[in-house]
Amino acid sequence: MSGFSTYLDNKLIDHVFSGVSFETPSKYLALFTASTGLDVNSGWENSELPSTAAAYARVELPHDIWSTADNGETATLYDTQFAVANSHWGNVTHVGIMDSAIGGNVLAWGALANPVTGVTESRNIETGDQLVVRAGALNVTLA
């Protein structure tokens, strides 16, 4: 992932250094056609695939999907599958981890990449396609 949003940065800093309570949020994977606003948690709404895209919905990332952190990194332990597209969804360029199934806040985000080569690569989602993020391909690093 490219990074945490300023929303999550601030929550973590307040929690660790100021003792402000921060409850572990729910996490959902969302698809975006641009990175606009993902880093600052503002203005991203126009870049997420619209709810009118047939069968598109964010996919829940339960707590047990994540590996135990090692060297400042965690990764998914099993595949994350979006529904089969019932219509053309468009060109997906980025993913975001959100704290709500609808709306909410960006927690972390990054460019879509080829899981084999690691090269940043958008994906055009056509009718009948299913985007699957393979186990280990979604990772979060704290640096």
Side-chain angles (χ1 to χ4, degrees):
M1 304 229 72
S2 290
F4 289 173
S5 68
T6 53
Y7 167 82
L8 185 57
D9 288 343
N10 293 338
K11 292 291 186 183
L12 292 174
I13 289 169
D14 286 346
H15 178 69
V16 172
F17 296 101
S18 299
V20 175
S21 179
F22 181 60
E23 191 171 319
T24 302
S26 297
K27 290 164 284 303
Y28 296 84
L29 190 61
L31 303 177
F32 295 86
T33 59
S35 63
T36 306
L38 293 174
D39 56 343
V40 294
N41 190 41
S42 178
W44 54 263
E45 297 85 349
N46 294 327
S47 298
E48 184 176 8
L49 292 183
S51 59
T52 56
Y56 171 72
R58 294 176 184 174
V59 177
E60 186 172 10
L61 299 169
H63 298 305
D64 68 351
I65 195 173
W66 300 101
S67 64
T68 301
D70 185 34
N71 291 319
E73 181 176 82
T74 184
T76 51
L77 296 169
Y78 50 88
D79 293 353
T80 303
Q81 299 182 26
F82 285 86
V84 174
N86 290 339
S87 67
H88 179 77
W89 285 2
N91 194 42
V92 174
T93 61
H94 290 78
V95 295
I97 299 175
M98 313 297 287
D99 67 1
S100 179
I102 299 171
N105 298 290
V106 178
L107 300 174
W109 63 280
L112 201 60
N114 182 310
V116 176
T117 65
V119 174
T120 299
E121 183 177 288
S122 63
R123 170 121 185 243
N124 191 28
I125 309 294
E126 299 284 354
T127 303
D129 288 347
Q130 181 179 32
L131 183 66
V132 177
V133 180
R134 298 289 177 213
L138 181 61
N139 56 60
V140 177
T141 303
L142 187 60

